[in-house]
């Protein structure tokens, strides 16, 4: 199977679903008629390692080391090696969804060998009551794999990790020296597995151009190992690197040694750079044009950006193509039983993008000067749903993760309407900003279209710091938006930050209190604290003096240049808060320990909270609003009602009335109006049904009502309409 281009994701990214970069590029190449093959070497290495033969080899290798050098946990695992070897293939098949009945055996807790990871089970027993057998089985099987992973780290390869490998070598690698030295050592145990798989593929595919996508620091070492093997064994094959790591870290690379491994390093959107590289490699010739590409020229690292062509529009890049990837072999794991937190590791998700870049593009900690954030270009809603349908057919999966920096609310609304209009069943989730556009009705619409979860940046739960970050939201607004999502049945995850420049200890403590109250109120289901990191392409990195920080060094390295070491003029040691913040959040995510004093989470003295204990509770109290914008869109999600007219008599007078009966998915309910209003309502609901192409505004509906009747506002804010608002009459 000979193809011109071989697209590779090196180990390790995710176990449950492919990282989408190569699928995006393959989809684009399809539109140009260029043949390509792709591989996720991460999942292939994992499946080779976590197999009967893989564990037999692993334990044989580990037994060559002296027993006294091993921890008691490692000795226990080695003593139980036959149990691990016996069970591994069945467990992997179960986690691939191919062996569901094994859950019953796993849950009896006398099937899997247990080591240190299972010691936390006593703390989590309470959670299993809310988990089904399949989920509990997945969680126990995940602990089993993590035990083996701990054994590998201790006895075989200290750099091993399921979603990252040798990540330390990729983080803040201003100099190439340490990575270069590691690459000149003998192959590690993991390297041998990787290269054996790669060698077989290269022999089979015989590409002219190998394109390696490096999304994260944890993929970097393996990417270089792959390139090194191909350079040594097939010097005629040209090799290019792209992806998130290159886009952020390698924008000023100048070390010639990097190009002993790679011929090209491409930045930002890869479609046009790879098209031009493909032309240069396959057509040859002395003169070639390049787009945002580093290469070695006369012994010097040179940056070429001489193609005058603009990047492809998002409407022209094609639908991602997941063919070649072993979609039925990815494994779903549940590390944390929290229903939102698990979504990153459980289930197969087709990845799509609603909009290139970020529509907000102001957050001061973010790389807003780079094209992947700065260049905002939304995709038309109809084209997005076309891609949803095409990918569903191609992969057999109807779960979608939109990987936007922040999905635009107006576009989310249009995508939801289009999904409902086409009457298709999908599940989807994405990243958002907690902005006021996410009203109760919009959240209900998103839920009806299949939205199951959102994640968004609360960052520091302090209004002063949110203004400094230029987040464009307040804590009160975040609380109200998260409530709207939660009440609609959509899970909410919050990204949380500590250690932002000028952040005081008091603000950290108060921020934790805000987070505690949000979880206690039930409007957040999941969260993650991360410590602020200063990057070269963010406003904080570009203008540190504005934010009260000083760069430790102005020296630009010859390899990776993104993370910047800095000194915060406050002199606060933010590191010491890490454990307490994460431990408290872990408990809040499991719905416990809300009554603990914040001091209980820290082993050093913290100041008293200055936030009122009912701050979030008050923020969530919202009066009913009786004002609707004339331009607001009105949509009916329900079906056609059954109608029945009857006459009422009161004090000698007769009144023509009507009962409208609706059949919701869960229940049947009725409303009663006078006959004229009832007939108009039945007619207008059919007109504004979500299945119709045309959308009507509130002003248009009001005008229609007033052609035959008066006092529209009295009718609109009456009890019958109020009832319908709870069952799918939405004002957007």
């Amino acid at each position: 199977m000979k193809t011109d281009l071989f697209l590779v994701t090196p180990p390790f990214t995710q176990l449950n679903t492919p990282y989408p970069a190569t699928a995006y590029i393959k989809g684009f190449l399809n539109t140009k008629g260029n043949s390509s093959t792709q591989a996720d070497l991460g999942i292939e290495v994992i499946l080779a390692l976590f197999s009967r033969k893989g564990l037999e080899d692993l334990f044989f290798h580990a037994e060559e080391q002296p027993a006294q050098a091993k921890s008691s946990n490692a000795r226990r695992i080695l003593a139980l090696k036959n149990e691990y070897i016996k069970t591994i293939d069945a467990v992997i098949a179960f986690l691939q969804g191919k062996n569901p009945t094994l859950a019953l055996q796993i849950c009896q807790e006398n099937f899997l060998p247990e080591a240190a990871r299972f010691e936390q089970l006593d703390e989590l027993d309470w959670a299993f009551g809310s988990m089904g057998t399949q989920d509990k089985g997945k969680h126990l099987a995940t602990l089993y794999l993590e035990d083996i992973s701990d054994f590998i780290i201790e006895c075989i390869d200290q750099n091993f990790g399921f979603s990252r490998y040798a990540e330390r070598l990729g983080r803040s690698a201003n100099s190439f020296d340490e990575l270069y030295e590691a690459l000149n050592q003998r192959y590690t145990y993991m390297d041998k597995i990787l290269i054996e798989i790669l060698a077989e593929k290269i022999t089979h595919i015989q590409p002219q151009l190998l394109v390696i996508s490096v999304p994260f620091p944890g993929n970097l070492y393996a990417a270089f190992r792959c390139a090194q093997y191909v350079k040594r064994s097939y010097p005629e094959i040209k090799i290019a690197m792209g992806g998130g790591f290159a886009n952020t870290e390698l924008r000023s690379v100048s070390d010639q040694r990097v190009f002993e491994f790679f011929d090209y390093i491409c930045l930002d959107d890869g479609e046009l750079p790879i098209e031009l590289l493909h032309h240069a490699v396959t057509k040859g010739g002395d003169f070639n044009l390049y787009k945002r590409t580093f290469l070695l020229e006369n012994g010097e690292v040179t940056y070429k950006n001489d193609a005058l062509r603009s990047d492809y529009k998002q409407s022209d890049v094609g639908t991602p193509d997941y063919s070649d990837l072993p979609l039925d072999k990815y494994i779903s794991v549940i590390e944390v039983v929290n229903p939102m937190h698990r979504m990153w590791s459980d289930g197969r998700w087709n990845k799509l993008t609603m909009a290139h870049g970020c529509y907000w593009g102001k957050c001061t900690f973010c790389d807003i000067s780079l094209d992947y954030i700065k260049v905002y270009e939304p995709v038309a809603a109809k084209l997005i749903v076309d891609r949803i349908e095409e990918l569903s057919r191609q992969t057999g999966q109807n779960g979608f993760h939109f990987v936007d920096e922040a999905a635009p609310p107006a576009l989310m609304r249009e995508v939801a309407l289009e999904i409902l209009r086409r009457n298709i069943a999908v599940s989807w989730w994405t990243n958002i900003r907690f902005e006021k556009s996410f009203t109760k009705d919009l959240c209900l619409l998103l839920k009806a279209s299949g939205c199951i979860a959102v994640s968004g940046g609360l960052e520091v739960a302090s209004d002063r710091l949110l203004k400094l970050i230029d987040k464009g939201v307040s804590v009160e607004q975040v609380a109200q938006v998260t409530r709207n999502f939660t009440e609609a049945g959509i899970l909410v995850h919050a990204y949380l930050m500590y250690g932002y420049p000028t952040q005081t200890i008091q603000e950290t403590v108060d921020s934790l209190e805000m987070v505690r109250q949000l979880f206690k109120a039930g409007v957040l289901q999941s969260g993650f604290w991360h410590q602020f990191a200063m990057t070269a392409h963010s406003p904080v990195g570009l203008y540190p003096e504005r934010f009260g920080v000083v760069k430790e060094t102005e020296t630009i390295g010859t390899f990776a240049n993104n993370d910047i070491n800095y000194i915060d003029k406050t002199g606060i040691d933010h590191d010491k808060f890490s454990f307490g913040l994460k431990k408290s959040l872990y408990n809040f995510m499991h719905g416990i320990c809300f009554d603990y004093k914040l001091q209980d989470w820290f082993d050093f003295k913290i100041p008293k909270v200055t936030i009122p204990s009912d701050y979030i509770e008050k923020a969530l109290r919202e009066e009913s609003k009786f004002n609707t914008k004339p331009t607001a869109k009105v949509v009916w999600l329900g079906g056609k009602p059954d109608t029945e007219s009857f006459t009422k008599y009161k004090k000698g007078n007769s009144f023509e009335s009507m009962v409208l009966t609706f059949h919701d998915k869960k229940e049947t309910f009725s409303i009663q109006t006078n006959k004229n209003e009832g007939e108009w309502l039945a007619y207008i609901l059919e007109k504004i049904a979500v299945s119709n192409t045309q959308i009507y505004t509130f002003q248009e509906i009001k005008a229609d009502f007033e052609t035959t009747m008066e006092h529209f506002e009295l009718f609109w804010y009456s009890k019958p309409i109020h009832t319908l608002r709870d069952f799918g009459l939405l004002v957007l």
Side-chain angles (χ1 to χ4, degrees), residues 19 32 82 86 91 158-159 212 216-217 269 284 287-288 329 357 377 466 485 501 530 553 562 564 574 583 589 608 690:
Y19 193 77
K32 297 295 169 185
N82 289 334
K86 180 177 80 173
V91 169
Q158 64 179 5
N159 287 316
I212 303 179
F216 306 113
D269 292 354
F287 180 73
N288 290 295
K329 293 184 179 178
E377 185 193 343
L466 285 170
F485 277 113
H530 62 96
T553 175
N562 191 41
I564 298 173
H574 294 288
K583 185 178 180 181
M589 283 199 301
K608 288 185 177 179
V690 72

Side-chain angles (χ1 to χ4, degrees), residues 228-401:
Q228 181 186 53
Y229 165 76
V230 174
K231 272 278 167 248
R232 287 173 176 172
S233 306
Y234 301 90
E236 71 280 7
I237 297 176
K238 297 296 183 184
I239 309 174
M241 181 205 294
F245 183 86
N247 296 344
T248 54
E249 302 279 351
L250 301 184
R251 303 191 78 86
S252 55
V253 61
S254 60
D255 195 317
Q256 295 98 325
R257 294 174 298 173
V258 174
F259 293 86
E260 294 174 19
F261 303 84
F262 291 92
D263 298 288
Y264 313 102
I265 296 176
C266 301
L267 302 182
D268 302 325
D269 292 354
E271 289 84 4
L272 183 55
I274 288 175
E275 183 185 16
L276 294 170
L277 284 186
H278 177 249
H279 183 274
V281 169
T282 58
K283 300 293 190 290
D286 296 327
F287 180 73
N288 290 295
L289 295 176
Y290 299 95
K291 187 81 171 178
R292 295 188 301 274
T293 300
F294 285 102
L295 47 83
L296 206 60
E297 201 169 63
N298 300 321
E300 294 294 322
V301 179
T302 306
Y303 182 64
K304 296 275 192 178
N305 193 24
D306 39 26
L308 297 177
R309 289 168 57 188
S310 299
D311 282 299
Y312 285 92
K313 296 289 184 186
Q314 291 300 297
S315 56
D316 298 326
V317 296
T319 301
D321 183 348
Y322 286 92
S323 58
D324 312 321
L325 298 175
L327 298 182
D328 61 337
K329 293 184 179 178
Y330 285 85
I331 60 177
S332 288
V333 295
I334 300 180
E335 300 164 59
V336 180
V337 297
N338 178 278
M340 174 74 203
H341 220 72
R342 61 186 273 187
M343 291 179 64
W344 279 270
S345 63
D346 184 23
R348 248 280 298 131
W349 303 101
N350 296 316
K351 310 271 186 169
L352 275 177
T353 308
M354 288 195 193
H356 181 288
C358 179
Y359 71 95
W360 180 249
K362 296 179 183 179
C363 298
T364 53
F365 61 82
C366 188
D367 295 333
I368 60 175
S369 64
L370 299 183
D371 281 358
Y372 83 95
I373 299 288
K374 183 172 65 176
V375 179
Y376 174 63
E377 185 193 343
V379 181
K382 287 186 177 181
L383 183 54
I384 291 170
V385 183
D386 285 344
R387 290 174 178 174
I388 285 174
E389 292 194 292
E390 188 176 338
L391 274 176
S392 294
R393 286 191 296 270
Q394 181 197 126
T395 66
Q397 303 280 348
N398 71 343
F400 290 84
H401 178 197

Side-chain angles (χ1 to χ4, degrees), residues 637-654:
L637 300 182
K640 188 177 179 180
D642 298 327
T643 58
E644 183 181 350
S645 300
F646 64 95
T647 304
K648 287 172 68 176
Y649 297 93
K650 190 174 182 181
K651 295 183 179 179
N653 296 316
S654 62

